[in-house]
Amino acid sequence: MIEILPIRLLIDEDSRIFGGLSVGLAKLQRVGFAVGSGIVVTAPNFKLKSILEHYDFGKKEIFEQSLTLVKKEIYSIPTPSILETEAGKHKEFFLSGEKIKSVKNLWSALLAVWLDQIKGRLWNNGFAPGITENLEPQIVIFIKKVESCGSAFFDPLQDDVEIRIKTGKLHPSNSKKISDIVLLANKKLFIPHEYEWIIDGEVKLAGIKPYTPFLNPVSVPIVSSCKASPCKARSVIKVFYDLTEGVVAEKEIDGAYIDSGKIFDLNKPNESFDEVVLKLVESAETFPDSPILFKLADKSEGMGKVRGALRLLHQKSLFEPLAAVLDFARHKKNLTNIQIVVPFVRGVNELLQMKRELAVKKFSRKKSLQIWMEVALPENIVNLDDYLVAGVDGVVLNLNELVAYLNGFDTEEGELAFYKQEVDGLLKFLEDGIKLLHKSKVPFIACGSLTLYPKVLEYLVEKGVMGVVVERFEFHSVHDLLHQVEKRMVLRRSGVYG
């Protein structure tokens, strides 16, 4: 399943399996360098391949969604007996700059590292049949009491060794030792490298990475630099990425929006329940500093049917699983960036009842938990002041639903879709409601495909919308679009044109 060798036993012939960097660390140990005692572990390629091949990986987006679903199966791979034999005598381990306790947690951390490598290959090169092959072997160091750790490399521009501290503090005497080790190790290996170090009783090497010299930015023309790495346009309007059926490769986002009704299936309650849990937890953990708006399921069967908040109140098989999802994510996983959106409310009493039902499940409004309301009916705008008195932390304007009810057409009827573009009445109708929201200092965001129509988007930006919800095919262009709209609005107000 996997292969393991102690670092001290690695020789040149092992580089094909255990990697040249691991062999380089072994060479340094044999010539007298202080290298932490440890092992090198290869990935379970066959096992990962056998798990992943059952899923659809034809496209990047599909791969990410499938990978989210299959994570639970990957992490359930049992700890190999060979790893327990080699590492079971030790209590603490050092892997990729992190301290880990127990062999079980070590195996989970190793799987996480290899899973990240697979995801990186997908986004850089696209899917290939051998995407699980030749994953980087990982160096595991046995530790007792690590006081500090970090990395170091020789910077030719400064003509000195640069030492980076990840955790703990570094005594000047140890700093000098690390500098000497880096200079001498580069000579022994003939090629400059970046070295991971730990203070575990003494200074020890814990890993080697390739070193890429930093190019002087002065020598690189600004124009060519921008072409190589375009900067994302900035805008005041926040972008909430709809992660219900998609993923985003960015490290930081303004916020996320998840519509549980599109994931949870009453015909497959157990399977779809797991999908909702994975999607919500994955999103909240990936973006811990961003709000994750979780919309309770709005199971619609057409205009005039029982749906939204009313259905949640009277169908326990729909409400209870979603409450359990929130309980697991917020209370057990402590993901407090998750906020709740109450869908399709037909009256103030429905909102109050929904808040009571949520309170019973220990989801009451507080500083760390916001309850938003979806505004999808003209009645919501007409009686907006009553809803605000009832208490909401924010409003989600569902523009597709609002225009359908105002213009009197069913969004499911393709022949009537042209009415969707008749937005003048909708924009006039929203005017007083938006003024009331601003007066009450209640933020509002907009969702639906209608949001990015040029006329509608300009209206929203001018009226001070806090954010917009966009689907995955708009992820890469929405920031530039918002920037251009804001720019035109500023120019118009300044009298430059229009």
Side-chain angles (χ1 to χ4, degrees), residues 27-99:
K27 286 181 180 179
L28 293 177
Q29 187 175 26
R30 282 196 291 273
V31 297
F33 282 79
V35 175
S37 175
I39 55 177
V40 184
V41 187
T42 63
N45 296 333
F46 179 76
K47 188 67 175 178
L48 290 172
K49 179 182 177 182
S50 63
I51 291 176
L52 296 177
E53 66 186 4
H54 298 298
Y55 292 81
D56 183 3
F57 304 125
K59 296 181 180 179
K60 293 181 180 180
E61 293 83 358
I62 297 176
F63 180 90
E64 272 285 355
Q65 294 171 34
S66 301
L67 198 57
T68 299
L69 298 176
V70 83
K71 264 188 174 183
K72 185 176 181 181
E73 188 175 351
I74 290 178
Y75 286 135
S76 68
I77 298 175
T79 305
S81 58
I82 186 175
L83 181 62
E84 292 180 339
T85 301
E86 294 290 340
K89 298 178 182 178
H90 302 273
K91 296 181 179 180
E92 289 193 60
F93 311 93
F94 186 83
L95 171 68
S96 300
E98 301 292 337
K99 292 185 285 186

Side-chain angles (χ1 to χ4, degrees), residues 141-417:
I141 301 295
F142 307 138
I143 58 175
K144 294 181 180 179
K145 187 178 180 181
V146 173
E147 299 174 11
S148 60
C149 65
S151 61
F153 58 89
F154 179 76
D155 185 352
L157 294 177
Q158 300 181 31
D159 194 28
D160 197 5
V161 173
E162 181 170 334
I163 300 175
R164 295 175 178 174
I165 303 172
K166 184 174 183 180
T167 60
K169 297 180 180 180
L170 191 61
H171 192 275
S173 62
N174 287 330
S175 179
K176 178 67 167 60
K177 290 179 182 178
I178 293 172
S179 296
D180 293 341
I181 288 173
V182 170
L183 295 173
L184 188 57
N186 279 344
K187 290 181 180 179
K188 293 294 182 182
L189 297 178
F190 302 109
I191 300 175
H193 289 83
E194 182 176 347
Y195 302 90
E196 290 185 316
W197 54 265
I198 58 174
I199 307 296
D200 188 14
E202 61 175 330
V203 177
K204 297 178 182 178
L205 291 180
I208 302 180
K209 297 179 181 179
Y211 169 67
T212 304
F214 177 75
L215 297 177
N216 188 349
V218 177
S219 63
V220 181
I222 295 177
V223 175
S224 62
S225 174
C226 289
K227 286 182 179 179
S229 179
C231 299
K232 183 173 70 176
R234 294 184 177 182
S235 64
V236 176
I237 311 301
K238 295 183 182 298
V239 176
F240 288 78
Y241 291 83
D242 190 338
L243 302 184
T244 306
E245 299 176 348
V247 295
V248 58
E250 296 184 31
K251 295 182 179 180
E252 296 181 3
I253 63 174
D254 297 328
Y257 190 83
I258 297 174
D259 185 351
S260 63
K262 295 180 180 178
I263 307 175
F264 187 72
D265 188 347
L266 288 167
N267 296 317
K268 301 176 182 178
N270 295 330
E271 181 181 339
S272 58
F273 174 83
D274 291 340
E275 291 183 28
V276 178
V277 171
L278 285 169
K279 173 62 72 173
L280 182 59
V281 172
E282 173 88 3
S283 301
E285 288 182 338
T286 304
F287 308 108
D289 299 321
S290 303
I292 310 296
L293 297 183
F294 182 74
K295 177 183 170 182
L296 300 177
D298 176 15
K299 291 295 183 180
S300 173
E301 297 174 358
M303 295 183 76
K305 302 291 185 178
V306 175
R307 58 178 289 195
L310 183 62
R311 188 165 183 174
L312 287 166
L313 289 169
H314 293 279
Q315 188 172 357
K316 296 301 181 183
S317 62
L318 181 61
F319 176 73
E320 292 294 337
L322 298 178
V325 170
L326 286 167
D327 179 64
F328 175 79
R330 281 193 59 94
H331 298 155
K332 295 181 181 178
K333 299 290 289 185
N334 198 32
L335 299 171
T336 55
N337 57 329
I338 297 172
Q339 317 300 342
I340 300 174
V341 179
V342 178
F344 201 85
V345 180
R346 281 192 170 101
V348 177
N349 287 334
E350 282 188 10
L351 175 64
L352 292 172
Q353 288 181 53
M354 278 301 306
K355 289 176 66 177
R356 279 194 289 269
E357 290 293 329
L358 289 169
V360 170
K361 303 294 183 180
K362 299 182 180 179
F363 300 116
S364 299
R365 289 177 66 205
K366 52 187 175 182
K367 187 175 182 181
S368 63
L369 175 60
Q370 296 180 353
I371 295 180
W372 291 54
M373 185 186 86
E374 180 187 41
V375 170
L377 293 170
E379 184 274 343
N380 300 154
I381 298 294
V382 172
N383 296 319
L384 187 58
D385 52 345
D386 294 330
Y387 286 104
L388 297 181
V389 171
V392 293
D393 296 292
V395 164
V396 180
L397 297 177
N398 190 325
L399 299 183
N400 287 5
E401 295 271 16
L402 282 167
V403 76
Y405 283 98
L406 273 172
N407 290 356
F409 70 96
D410 191 341
T411 54
E412 299 298 321
E413 297 293 333
E415 295 180 355
L416 301 177

